[in-house]
Amino acid sequence: MSSPPRPPTRRTSNTRPSLFGAMQLSTRRLRSNSGGPIPQDLGELSTAELNSVAPPNPVYKIVLTGGPCGGKTTSMARLAPYLRERGFEVITCPEAFSVLVNNGMSFDYLAAVQGMDIVVQDTVMDMQIGLEDGFERVLRARGKPAVLLCDRGLMDGSAYMSQEAWDRLLDKRDVQCVSELREGRYNAVFHLVTAAEGAEQYYTLDNNEVRTETPELARELDNMTRNAWVGHPNLKIFDNSTDFETKLQRIVEETARLVGLPAQMQKITSKFLLKREPDLDAFPEDVRVRIFDVEKVYLHNDDDIEENIIEEFCFIRKRTTINKDGEASGSVYGWTGVQKTRDGQIIEKKRIITKREYNLLFVNRDTSRHIVKQKRISFLWNIQTFTVHVYQEPVSDICILHAQIQSTQDSTNEKVAIPPFLEVDKKLMTDSEGDEKYGAYHISLKN
């Protein structure tokens, strides 16, 4: 059940705040600590209870996943103090499956009784949801900007089950669309590629008694885990193309960018103009593809912006999953704010919002701009994430490939292996949302 928004504070000016301030939007549906109905009289709540219902600051949820010996534990140990030193509250959420194993459940349980794998994964999901929701509730109540670092997430279980068993589990839990367990729940997913893929000499399981995988199995599990998260718009893959310290720094930089802190690695994607929309039948059978319909709505913004900002805009997005039968199977909603600074930096802040919040913000849309509609095709190739944006409205003749890269200020370090089943026209010189020809911000303008 949705609740009224947090009571507004009294304003001494008639000036409307910048919509970039919408960073205070809740990252989850408003709800009470107990999960029951929200009190109608919010004045009866304590400060902590009110914060947990309508948090004054964002709580980011980041999944760290990947194959065995990818660096998750070390990364979490690096990220937590980094974020705390910069004013964020941080809690780390343990992997539920490891909690079970560390407390007596052996791997033999998985095959001991027919259907046991579904029972175990159902239990893991219950535990993971309970841990994540409990930790998030504490962080929300604290009232400060916060980050919840999750050791694996709900979609990881699908990597260890057959498709049939996974579908049965989702039916049992009445999950209408996997987007609920993926982009509807987490702000970002960081996949740390196992050392068995590209750094074999460092592959070891000495630091994790729960894991017993050979390098061959580790690579297989890493691939299945990567594919489990295909479709999340903020899936970032950290491979072993650099030394481990640089890998950790790349993870820190990506986290900084996500929460709005300064980052040294300015470029995270390269964009390519495609000659035509990809033919899905031409994709290799082992490439898992996810398809979405996206509606992007730009909002009105004030002219009164900070002195060091030269441009500022924000938009809301409805992202609908299209199933294998071509039917819509569920939607998730997001808010994005973009600021361009005088020193050339582009700062983006993203929030998961509810359908109710989306509809409230939609009323304030910028009517001088079209609603931008796209078909998006997400997939993995050569341990890199790719998303094709096929414009449908207000134009229908533009198809852009977005490819994840990792580079420093030296653009010569970019590495993008273009899939051979795509036809590239040219590389675009900028990856900006506001690109004057191919950016959605420009395309949305009415003549």
Side-chain angles (χ1 to χ4, degrees):
M1 170 178 172
S2 298
S3 76
R6 191 186 185 105
T9 55
R10 180 172 297 174
R11 299 185 56 79
T12 58
S13 167
N14 292 327
T15 303
R16 182 164 51 90
S18 164
L19 280 179
F20 200 77
M23 62 181 285
Q24 293 188 3
L25 286 171
S26 167
T27 57
R28 286 176 58 85
R29 193 179 309 279
L30 302 183
R31 54 178 171 76
S32 69
N33 279 355
S34 65
I38 298 172
Q40 293 300 310
D41 186 0
L42 299 182
E44 297 178 355
L45 301 179
S46 67
T47 300
E49 290 172 326
L50 186 58
N51 286 345
S52 66
V53 171
N57 283 294
V59 177
Y60 299 90
K61 293 177 69 176
I62 303 174
V63 172
L64 281 82
T65 186
C69 193
K72 296 195 309 296
T73 302
T74 306
S75 296
M76 295 176 83
R78 176 72 65 90
L79 287 173
Y82 169 84
L83 291 165
R84 289 184 182 120
E85 290 168 3
R86 288 156 179 81
F88 289 84
E89 296 292 329
V90 181
I91 292 180
T92 58
C93 183
E95 178 188 7
F97 184 81
S98 292
V99 172
L100 285 173
V101 173
N102 288 332
N103 285 278
M105 187 191 80
S106 71
F107 284 93
D108 294 339
Y109 280 39
L110 292 170
V113 180
Q114 188 269 332
M116 192 68 179
D117 57 338
I118 295 180
V119 173
V120 170
Q121 291 296 345
D122 192 26
T123 302
V124 167
M125 196 171 286
D126 279 339
M127 293 175 61
Q128 197 75 39
I129 290 172
L131 288 168
E132 290 177 8
D133 287 358
F135 289 148
E136 183 183 1
R137 187 161 56 244
V138 170
L139 289 173
R140 287 159 60 98
R142 181 69 177 86
K144 296 179 63 178
V147 178
L148 178 61
L149 299 173
C150 303
D151 187 346
R152 300 194 180 276
L154 298 185
M155 290 298 297
D156 278 279
S158 65
Y160 297 85
M161 305 176 70
S162 67
Q163 186 63 51
E164 180 184 1
W166 175 249
D167 289 341
R168 287 178 59 194
L169 176 59
L170 296 185
D171 288 341
K172 177 181 179 181
R173 301 185 66 91
D174 196 28
V175 176
Q176 301 300 313
C177 180
V178 292
S179 61
E180 301 172 25
L181 311 180
R182 198 175 55 206
E183 61 267 34
R185 186 172 180 85
Y186 305 103
N187 298 92
V189 178
F190 294 170
H191 180 100
L192 283 60
V193 176
T194 174
E197 183 79 57
E200 291 81 355
Q201 65 272 32
Y202 300 107
Y203 181 73
T204 178
L205 299 175
D206 291 344
N207 61 343
N208 191 335
E209 295 180 358
V210 175
R211 301 299 181 192
T212 58
E213 296 87 350
T214 64
E216 293 76 19
L217 181 56
R219 287 189 287 270
E220 181 181 350
L221 291 174
D222 192 276
N223 180 62
M224 291 191 295
T225 304
R226 286 197 302 270
N227 279 289
W229 291 98
V230 170
H232 195 294
N234 222 6
L235 168 62
K236 306 299 180 183
I237 298 178
F238 300 91
D239 60 17
N240 299 303
S241 58
T242 63
D243 60 45
F244 186 63
E245 178 57 34
T246 305
K247 182 179 183 180
L248 291 176
Q249 184 59 31
R250 287 156 53 200
I251 295 167
V252 170
E253 290 282 341
E254 190 60 52
T255 303
R257 186 179 292 105
L258 177 71
V259 302
L261 293 172
Q264 297 300 315
M265 294 182 181
Q266 297 299 318
K267 301 190 67 176
I268 57 173
T269 60
S270 277
K271 293 185 181 180
F272 300 83
L273 180 65
L274 298 183
K275 294 180 179 179
R276 59 185 57 85
E277 180 178 343
D279 178 5
L280 297 183
D281 291 334
F283 281 47
E285 291 185 3
D286 60 345
V287 173
R288 182 173 297 184
V289 177
R290 294 288 182 265
I291 300 176
F292 307 90
D293 283 341
V294 172
E295 176 182 272
K296 183 180 288 188
V297 182
Y298 289 90
L299 306 177
H300 276 296
N301 207 359
D302 280 330
D303 295 329
D304 184 18
I305 59 178
E306 299 175 19
E307 184 177 349
N308 67 321
I309 303 299
I310 60 174
E311 187 176 22
E312 177 178 284
F313 61 87
C314 55
F315 58 86
I316 52 176
R317 182 182 64 244
K318 176 183 177 181
R319 194 170 188 262
T320 302
T321 299
I322 305 301
N323 64 23
K324 59 184 179 181
D325 297 321
E327 300 172 343
S329 62
S331 299
V332 295
Y333 305 85
W335 171 93
T336 299
V338 180
Q339 288 180 325
K340 297 181 180 180
T341 66
R342 296 188 182 279
D343 60 2
Q345 288 198 52
I346 298 178
I347 301 172
E348 286 192 2
K349 293 187 177 180
K350 298 177 182 287
R351 301 288 180 271
I352 299 169
I353 62 176
T354 65
K355 181 179 180 180
R356 175 178 179 272
E357 290 168 328
Y358 181 87
N359 290 334
L360 288 172
L361 289 169
F362 189 94
V363 175
N364 196 48
R365 72 183 183 90
D366 185 350
T367 55
S368 70
R369 296 179 178 276
H370 294 283
I371 295 174
V372 177
K373 295 186 178 181
Q374 301 170 334
K375 173 183 177 181
R376 294 192 182 178
I377 304 168
S378 297
F379 63 95
L380 293 176
W381 174 263
N382 198 28
I383 319 185
Q384 288 182 304
T385 59
F386 294 90
T387 302
V388 179
H389 293 202
V390 182
Y391 281 87
Q392 297 176 323
E393 295 182 19
V395 297
S396 59
D397 58 347
I398 296 178
C399 189
I400 307 293
L401 173 67
H402 293 231
Q404 178 195 348
I405 62 171
Q406 290 291 342
S407 71
T408 61
Q409 294 177 348
D410 179 8
S411 61
T412 60
N413 288 337
E414 296 180 11
K415 296 181 180 180
V416 180
I418 301 296
F421 43 86
L422 299 180
E423 297 182 75
V424 172
D425 185 354
K426 63 180 179 179
K427 180 180 178 180
L428 301 183
M429 298 309 295
T430 174
D431 63 356
S432 170
E433 164 79 18
D435 179 272
E436 292 186 0
K437 188 171 183 180
Y438 297 110
Y441 187 60
H442 172 78
I443 290 173
S444 68
L445 274 173
K446 294 180 179 179
N447 296 329

